Amino acid sequence: LRVIYPSYKKVTDSNVNFLLKLGDRFQIKLLLDLTENYLLSSTDPELASKLLLSDQYRLVKLQDYCLSALKTTDEFKAVKNSQIFASLSDAIKADLFERHLEIAK
């Protein structure tokens, strides 16, 4: 209830996953926006983890940020070789491939 009523608790690394689940489950757009903005400005978690969260919770700004942050082949390899890659949706994998093609030009 504290999320819904104005007594905002800060989003932190330790509660961001819980808040995303809560916001998604109860369709609290404000909470999803707060957590997305936090993830956009934080250095943790790693890029592949952020990409997975953007996929799971349909966070478009975060997804765009993650894709645009990939600038080298080595960065793409790091995402592909991560354990998280298998959990990404086919749509995100296709977006990664398209972004890699843009970089390769």
Side-chain angles (χ1 to χ4, degrees):
L1 288 175
R2 287 185 180 180
V3 172
I4 298 169
Y5 298 107
S7 64
Y8 299 101
K9 187 173 182 175
K10 280 188 161 186
V11 179
T12 64
D13 290 340
S14 62
N15 69 8
V16 70
N17 288 329
F18 170 75
L19 293 174
L20 281 168
K21 287 177 190 174
L22 185 70
D24 185 56
R25 181 173 182 176
F26 295 106
Q27 299 177 5
I28 306 170
K29 179 153 175 40
L30 173 64
L31 183 55
L32 291 171
D33 290 343
L34 287 171
T35 52
E36 183 175 33
N37 289 333
Y38 174 78
L39 289 167
L40 285 167
S41 64
S42 77
T43 55
D44 286 330
E46 65 180 16
L47 192 65
S49 297
K50 286 183 181 184
L51 198 55
L52 179 61
L53 290 173
S54 75
D55 189 21
Q56 290 175 330
Y57 298 105
R58 299 164 308 282
L59 304 173
V60 176
K61 288 188 291 186
L62 183 61
Q63 179 182 336
D64 291 343
Y65 167 79
C66 292
L67 291 173
S68 66
L70 295 168
K71 300 192 185 312
T72 66
T73 301
D74 290 337
E75 291 171 342
F76 281 97
K77 285 181 184 176
V79 171
K80 186 176 182 311
N81 293 333
S82 72
Q83 294 177 348
I84 293 168
F85 186 77
S87 301
L88 295 173
S89 70
D90 291 339
I92 294 290
K93 290 177 183 175
D95 289 342
L96 280 166
F97 179 71
E98 286 180 28
R99 177 71 178 144
H100 189 252
L101 288 177
E102 288 175 14
I103 300 289
K105 288 183 181 180

